[in-house]
Coordinates of all heavy atoms in Angstrom, one line a residue:
N1 N 73.8 63.8 110.4 CA 73.0 64.5 109.4 C 72.9 63.6 108.2 O 73.9 63.1 107.7 CB 73.5 65.9 109.1 CG 73.0 66.9 110.0 OD1 72.4 66.6 111.1 ND2 73.3 68.2 109.7
Y2 N 71.7 63.5 107.6 CA 71.5 62.6 106.4 C 70.2 63.0 105.7 O 69.4 63.7 106.2 CB 71.5 61.2 106.9 CG 70.4 60.8 107.9 CD1 69.1 60.5 107.5 CD2 70.7 60.9 109.2 CE1 68.1 60.1 108.4 CE2 69.7 60.5 110.2 CZ 68.4 60.2 109.7 OH 67.4 59.9 110.7
M3 N 70.1 62.4 104.5 CA 68.9 62.5 103.7 C 68.6 61.1 103.2 O 69.5 60.4 102.7 CB 69.2 63.4 102.5 CG 69.6 64.8 102.8 SD 70.4 65.7 101.4 CE 68.9 65.9 100.4
T4 N 67.4 60.6 103.4 CA 67.0 59.3 103.0 C 65.6 59.2 102.6 O 64.8 60.0 103.0 CB 67.3 58.3 104.1 OG1 67.2 56.9 103.6 CG2 66.4 58.4 105.3
A5 N 65.3 58.3 101.7 CA 63.9 58.0 101.4 C 63.7 56.5 101.3 O 64.5 55.8 100.8 CB 63.6 58.6 100.0
H6 N 62.6 56.0 101.9 CA 62.2 54.6 101.8 C 61.1 54.6 100.7 O 60.0 55.1 100.9 CB 61.7 54.1 103.1 CG 62.7 54.0 104.2 ND1 62.5 53.5 105.4 CD2 64.1 54.3 104.1 CE1 63.6 53.5 106.1 NE2 64.6 53.9 105.3
V7 N 61.4 53.9 99.6 CA 60.5 53.9 98.5 C 59.8 52.5 98.5 O 60.5 51.5 98.4 CB 61.2 54.1 97.2 CG1 60.2 54.1 96.0 CG2 61.9 55.5 97.2
Y8 N 58.5 52.5 98.5 CA 57.7 51.2 98.5 C 57.0 51.0 97.2 O 56.5 52.0 96.6 CB 56.7 51.2 99.7 CG 57.3 51.3 101.0 CD1 57.6 52.6 101.6 CD2 57.6 50.2 101.8 CE1 58.2 52.7 102.8 CE2 58.2 50.3 103.0 CZ 58.5 51.5 103.6 OH 59.0 51.6 104.8
G9 N 56.8 49.8 96.8 CA 56.0 49.6 95.6 C 56.1 48.1 95.1 O 56.8 47.3 95.7
Q10 N 55.4 47.9 94.0 CA 55.4 46.5 93.4 C 56.7 46.3 92.5 O 57.1 47.2 91.8 CB 54.2 46.4 92.4 CG 54.1 45.1 91.7 CD 53.0 45.1 90.6 OE1 52.4 46.1 90.3 NE2 52.8 43.9 90.0
L11 N 57.3 45.2 92.7 CA 58.5 44.8 92.0 C 58.1 44.1 90.7 O 57.3 43.1 90.7 CB 59.4 43.9 92.8 CG 60.7 43.4 92.0 CD1 61.6 44.6 91.8 CD2 61.4 42.3 92.8
V12 N 58.5 44.7 89.5 CA 58.2 44.1 88.2 C 59.5 43.7 87.6 O 60.5 44.5 87.5 CB 57.5 45.1 87.3 CG1 57.2 44.5 86.0 CG2 56.2 45.6 88.0
V13 N 59.6 42.5 87.1 CA 60.8 42.0 86.4 C 60.6 42.1 84.9 O 59.6 41.8 84.4 CB 61.1 40.5 86.8 CG1 62.3 40.0 86.0 CG2 61.4 40.4 88.3
H14 N 61.7 42.7 84.3 CA 61.6 42.8 82.8 C 62.7 42.0 82.2 O 63.9 42.4 82.1 CB 61.9 44.3 82.4 CG 60.8 45.2 82.9 ND1 59.6 45.5 82.2 CD2 60.7 46.0 84.0 CE1 58.9 46.3 82.8 NE2 59.5 46.7 83.9
D15 N 62.4 40.8 81.7 CA 63.3 39.9 81.1 C 63.2 40.2 79.6 O 62.8 39.3 78.8 CB 63.0 38.5 81.4 CG 64.2 37.6 81.1 OD1 65.2 38.1 80.6 OD2 64.1 36.3 81.3
D16 N 63.6 41.4 79.2 CA 63.4 41.8 77.8 C 64.6 42.7 77.4 O 64.9 43.7 78.0 CB 62.1 42.7 77.7 CG 61.9 43.3 76.3 OD1 61.4 42.6 75.5 OD2 62.3 44.5 76.2
A17 N 65.3 42.2 76.4 CA 66.6 42.9 76.0 C 66.4 44.3 75.6 O 67.3 45.2 76.0 CB 67.2 42.1 74.9
A18 N 65.3 44.7 74.9 CA 65.1 46.1 74.5 C 64.9 47.0 75.7 O 65.5 48.1 75.8 CB 64.0 46.2 73.6
W19 N 64.1 46.5 76.7 CA 63.9 47.3 77.9 C 65.2 47.5 78.7 O 65.5 48.6 79.1 CB 62.8 46.6 78.8 CG 62.3 47.4 79.9 CD1 61.1 48.1 79.9 CD2 62.9 47.6 81.2 NE1 61.0 48.7 81.2 CE2 62.1 48.4 82.0 CE3 64.1 47.1 81.8 CZ2 62.4 48.8 83.3 CZ3 64.4 47.5 83.1 CH2 63.5 48.3 83.8
I20 N 65.9 46.4 78.8 CA 67.2 46.5 79.6 C 68.2 47.4 78.9 O 68.8 48.2 79.6 CB 67.8 45.0 79.8 CG1 66.8 44.1 80.6 CG2 69.1 45.1 80.5 CD1 67.1 42.7 80.5
E21 N 68.3 47.3 77.6 CA 69.2 48.2 76.9 C 68.9 49.6 77.1 O 69.7 50.5 77.3 CB 69.3 47.8 75.4 CG 70.3 48.7 74.7 CD 70.4 48.3 73.2 OE1 69.8 47.2 72.8 OE2 71.1 49.0 72.5
A22 N 67.6 49.9 77.0 CA 67.1 51.3 77.2 C 67.5 51.8 78.6 O 67.9 53.0 78.7 CB 65.6 51.4 76.9
Q23 N 67.3 51.0 79.6 CA 67.6 51.4 80.9 C 69.1 51.6 81.1 O 69.5 52.5 81.8 CB 67.1 50.3 81.9 CG 67.1 50.7 83.4 CD 68.5 50.5 84.0 OE1 69.2 49.5 83.7 NE2 68.8 51.3 85.0
I24 N 69.9 50.7 80.6 CA 71.3 50.8 80.7 C 71.8 52.1 80.0 O 72.7 52.8 80.5 CB 72.0 49.5 80.2 CG1 71.7 48.4 81.1 CG2 73.5 49.8 80.0 CD1 72.3 47.0 80.7
R25 N 71.3 52.3 78.8 CA 71.7 53.6 78.1 C 71.4 54.8 78.9 O 72.2 55.7 79.1 CB 71.0 53.6 76.8 CG 71.6 52.7 75.7 CD 70.8 52.8 74.4 NE 71.4 51.9 73.4 CZ 72.4 52.2 72.6 NH1 73.0 53.5 72.7 NH2 72.9 51.4 71.7
R26 N 70.2 54.8 79.5 CA 69.8 56.0 80.3 C 70.7 56.1 81.5 O 71.1 57.2 81.9 CB 68.3 55.8 80.8 CG 67.7 56.9 81.6 CD 66.3 56.6 81.8 NE 65.7 57.6 82.8 CZ 64.4 57.8 83.0 NH1 63.5 57.0 82.4 NH2 64.0 58.7 83.9
L27 N 71.0 55.0 82.2 CA 71.8 55.0 83.4 C 73.2 55.5 83.0 O 73.8 56.4 83.7 CB 71.9 53.6 84.0 CG 72.7 53.5 85.3 CD1 72.1 54.2 86.4 CD2 72.9 52.0 85.6
A28 N 73.8 55.0 82.0 CA 75.1 55.3 81.5 C 75.2 56.8 81.1 O 76.2 57.5 81.5 CB 75.6 54.4 80.4
D29 N 74.2 57.2 80.4 CA 74.2 58.6 79.9 C 74.2 59.6 81.1 O 74.9 60.6 81.0 CB 73.0 58.9 79.0 CG 73.1 58.2 77.6 OD1 74.2 57.8 77.3 OD2 72.1 58.1 76.9
R30 N 73.5 59.3 82.1 CA 73.4 60.2 83.3 C 74.8 60.3 84.0 O 75.3 61.4 84.3 CB 72.4 59.8 84.3 CG 72.4 60.7 85.5 CD 71.1 60.6 86.3 NE 71.0 59.4 87.1 CZ 71.3 59.2 88.4 NH1 71.9 60.2 89.0 NH2 71.1 58.0 89.0
H31 N 75.4 59.1 84.2 CA 76.6 59.1 85.0 C 77.9 59.5 84.1 O 78.9 59.9 84.7 CB 76.8 57.7 85.6 CG 75.9 57.5 86.7 ND1 76.0 58.1 88.0 CD2 74.7 56.8 86.8 CE1 75.0 57.7 88.8 NE2 74.2 56.9 88.1
E32 N 77.8 59.4 82.8 CA 78.9 59.7 81.9 C 78.8 61.2 81.6 O 79.8 61.7 81.0 CB 78.8 58.9 80.6 CG 79.2 57.4 80.8 CD 80.7 57.2 81.0 OE1 81.5 58.0 80.6 OE2 81.0 56.2 81.7
A33 N 77.7 61.9 81.9 CA 77.5 63.3 81.4 C 78.6 64.2 81.8 O 79.0 65.1 81.1 CB 76.2 63.8 81.9
G34 N 79.2 64.0 83.0 CA 80.2 64.9 83.5 C 81.6 64.6 83.0 O 82.6 65.3 83.3
H35 N 81.8 63.5 82.2 CA 83.1 63.1 81.8 C 83.6 63.9 80.5 O 82.7 64.3 79.7 CB 83.2 61.6 81.5 CG 83.1 60.8 82.7 ND1 84.0 59.9 83.1 CD2 82.1 60.7 83.7 CE1 83.7 59.3 84.2 NE2 82.5 59.8 84.6
E36 N 84.8 64.1 80.4 CA 85.3 64.9 79.2 C 85.1 64.1 77.9 O 84.8 64.7 76.9 CB 86.8 65.2 79.4 CG 87.4 66.0 78.3 CD 88.9 66.4 78.6 OE1 89.3 66.4 79.8 OE2 89.6 66.7 77.6
E37 N 85.2 62.8 78.0 CA 85.0 61.9 76.8 C 84.0 60.9 77.3 O 84.4 59.7 77.6 CB 86.3 61.3 76.3 CG 87.3 62.3 75.8 CD 88.5 61.7 75.2 OE1 88.5 60.4 75.1 OE2 89.4 62.4 74.8
P38 N 82.7 61.2 77.3 CA 81.7 60.2 77.8 C 81.7 58.9 77.0 O 81.7 58.9 75.8 CB 80.4 61.0 77.6 CG 80.7 62.4 77.5 CD 82.1 62.4 76.8

């Protein structure tokens, strides 16, 4: 038993520090949300 999705699309590269920082903040905030001291 499993759940999967094959997602297709255009790959866009962002060599931009502001874009990358915003993405990393968003990623960290989601995964840190359940921690006692995020």
Side-chain angles (χ1 to χ4, degrees):
N1 275 7
Y2 58 87
M3 304 164 68
T4 190
H6 292 181
V7 180
Y8 299 86
Q10 178 190 7
L11 179 65
V12 179
V13 175
H14 295 274
D15 196 1
D16 174 84
W19 190 97
I20 298 167
E21 181 176 352
Q23 190 276 327
I24 290 175
R25 286 179 178 274
R26 179 173 175 172
L27 181 68
D29 288 347
R30 175 163 74 95
H31 290 284
E32 290 285 336
H35 290 239
E36 186 174 337
E37 297 182 5

